[in-house]
Amino acid sequence: MAIAIRPYTEDRISAVKAFNQRLTAGGIAPEFHFPESNVPHWLPKHEGRSIYQQYYLALEGDDVRGAFILKFQDFLLGGETLPIAYYHLPVSEGIVNKAYASVGVTMLRSALKMQPRLFALGMGGFDRPLPTMLKAMGWSLSAVPFFFFVNHPAAFLCQIAPLRQSLARRVLAGLAAATGAGWGGIKTLHRLRRKGTISNLNTEPIESFGPWADDLWKQLGSRYAMIADRRSETLNILYPSDKSFLRLQVLRGSEILGWTVLLDTQMQNNRYFGNLRVGTIADAFSAPENATAVAQEATRFLQQRGVDLVIANHSHQAWGNAFKDCGYLRGPSNFIFAAAKSLAEKLAFESKQHEVYFMRGDGDGPVNL
């Protein structure tokens, strides 16, 4: 029977539950199951909002054989405001039953018909099934660089996953933490990379984003080749005051240079960060020439809160240089940006890929952080 792509409606909830049960029986972890409510818990569609999610199902008769999410949002692309969609959580019964191996391609082609300017973000690395399929279908892919700053080296050496993957590494990391050699080495690396400190800066915690954020957006948004809408209305939807986000203005005297959104998370047996207390620079915005100032103040704020490690992903070259200038080290990234053909052509991907603006706050947000 042919596969039909339809919006997820309330009458399909029981079919989605049955779909997830078949995934469970095939050994698929719950984190890859599709939501069992047809109304998105994050970014539901509301009248007048340009940022929202919609769920879609791949149906064979009354049975669900696949599902995906589209997040719709306005972007500035080459100075022009355009609706662009984020392709998220595509899951197909083909991962447990080869009879449905083509469902993933069917879903992607349907999503492209709805919105040709489509992108994907994250995905866990180039070798994962989704980016492999996207590349085969002619999408353009690049890694969003990952930066980290170690505030407490002993905790870092004892907890970070790559140093715990073998007995030899665990022993060496333990010795480095116990003797202080690791502490000295990491601190020296950060100090050698840091290009001084920018003075006369301060931060101001904020409960929400106001007209001042709109002013920054109007002045500076077009400085980036591609960037998601960061007007105050959108920011207050993405980073509400009733969540654990830490929102800061970064100022020089009375001049607002930019803003940042941070997280301070105590990890519990995390597969990457163990039990570290991780500070995340989830989002930020300023002129490219003020990126170092914003990164410096965001890092200082998280250090003073006592986090063990500060992390950030950023696709823009000026911001990457800013993190390096603040002493950050660059690590391997599994956070991938993929642009469909129509979007890649509009962007001029080959020449502009390092001028797009993506952080952890984009896509499906700073999940698991």
Side-chain angles (χ1 to χ4, degrees):
M1 186 180 293
I3 297 294
I5 305 298
R6 298 287 183 267
Y8 183 2
T9 51
E10 187 175 5
D11 60 311
R12 302 289 185 185
I13 291 175
S14 60
V16 170
K17 290 181 177 179
F19 170 66
N20 285 336
Q21 288 170 1
R22 293 195 296 276
L23 295 181
T24 298
I28 304 303
E31 64 188 281
F32 298 108
H33 291 184
F34 205 71
E36 294 183 351
S37 169
N38 66 302
V39 179
H41 73 280
W42 185 60
L43 302 181
K45 187 174 183 179
H46 290 302
E47 188 68 31
R49 279 190 183 177
S50 60
I51 181 170
Y52 59 91
Q53 289 191 119
Q54 286 193 326
Y55 294 167
Y56 296 91
L57 304 178
L59 298 171
E60 183 186 45
D62 291 329
D63 294 321
V64 175
R65 301 303 182 187
F68 62 92
I69 300 171
L70 289 182
K71 174 192 173 190
F72 296 90
Q73 186 174 5
D74 286 340
F75 277 71
L76 268 180
L77 178 55
E80 181 182 1
T81 300
L82 296 171
I84 295 175
Y86 164 56
Y87 187 65
H88 175 49
L89 195 62
V91 57
S92 160
E93 196 158 338
I95 58 178
V96 296
N97 184 341
K98 291 183 179 179
Y100 299 102
S102 65
V103 170
V105 173
T106 300
M107 294 192 301
L108 182 58
R109 287 175 174 165
S110 295
L112 285 166
K113 288 179 181 178
M114 298 178 208
Q115 174 51 273
R117 291 187 294 268
L118 204 64
F119 76 94
L121 196 65
M123 300 181 286
F126 289 106
D127 59 341
R128 303 290 293 171
L130 178 58
T132 300
M133 180 177 72
L134 297 179
K135 185 176 181 180
M137 293 182 68
W139 286 43
S140 300
L141 286 75
S142 64
V144 177
F146 171 70
F147 303 95
F148 66 99
F149 191 99
V150 181
N151 195 35
H152 295 148
F156 173 83
L157 290 166
C158 291
Q159 293 291 330
I160 199 71
L163 298 180
R164 315 302 299 171
Q165 291 175 352
S166 70
L167 177 59
R169 287 186 178 186
R170 289 195 295 273
V171 169
L172 287 172
L175 285 171
T179 62
W183 186 96
I186 289 172
K187 290 292 185 181
T188 298
L189 281 174
H190 286 316
R191 186 172 64 253
L192 290 173
R193 291 177 68 85
R194 188 182 293 118
K195 291 189 175 180
T197 300
I198 301 173
S199 58
N200 301 320
L201 299 176
N202 62 289
T203 57
E204 185 71 32
I206 54 173
E207 287 298 314
S208 62
F209 293 88
W212 58 269
D214 296 323
D215 292 340
L216 284 175
W217 175 248
K218 290 175 185 176
Q219 295 165 17
L220 305 174
S222 60
R223 300 279 301 276
Y224 298 98
M226 176 180 171
I227 183 171
D229 173 26
R230 281 170 166 82
R231 293 174 297 129
S232 62
E233 180 184 4
T234 299
L235 294 172
N236 288 328
I237 292 169
L238 291 172
Y239 308 117
S241 57
D242 61 344
K243 301 296 183 182
S244 56
F245 298 111
L246 305 166
R247 295 159 297 273
L248 302 175
Q249 283 181 344
V250 178
L251 305 98
R252 181 189 291 120
S254 61
E255 178 190 6
I256 301 173
L257 298 182
W259 53 261
T260 186
V261 177
L262 312 173
L263 288 169
D264 178 349
T265 309
Q266 177 60 61
M267 296 295 181
Q268 299 291 336
N269 298 317
N270 183 275
R271 60 178 173 172
Y272 299 116
F273 303 114
N275 295 311
L276 289 173
R277 184 176 165 190
V278 177
T280 304
I281 304 177
D283 205 348
F285 185 68
S286 75
E289 62 268 22
N290 289 325
T292 301
V294 173
Q296 173 188 295
E297 292 306 288
T299 306
R300 181 185 61 81
F301 185 86
L302 288 168
Q303 286 180 297
Q304 290 179 347
R305 285 178 65 91
V307 302
D308 299 316
L309 176 69
V310 183
I311 63 171
N313 284 84
H314 213 302
S315 60
H316 196 277
Q317 188 170 26
W319 284 80
N321 291 336
F323 285 113
K324 293 175 186 176
D325 289 348
C326 290
Y328 279 69
L329 304 176
R330 182 167 171 175
S333 176
N334 62 5
F335 200 61
I336 310 302
F337 165 51
K341 289 182 181 179
S342 177
L343 178 59
E345 289 171 1
K346 181 73 174 176
L347 174 62
F349 187 92
E350 289 303 317
S351 61
K352 296 289 187 179
Q353 60 180 294
H354 300 301
E355 297 177 35
V356 300
Y357 197 105
F358 282 116
M359 297 190 71
R360 281 282 176 175
D362 292 298
D364 54 342
V367 293
N368 302 320
L369 293 171

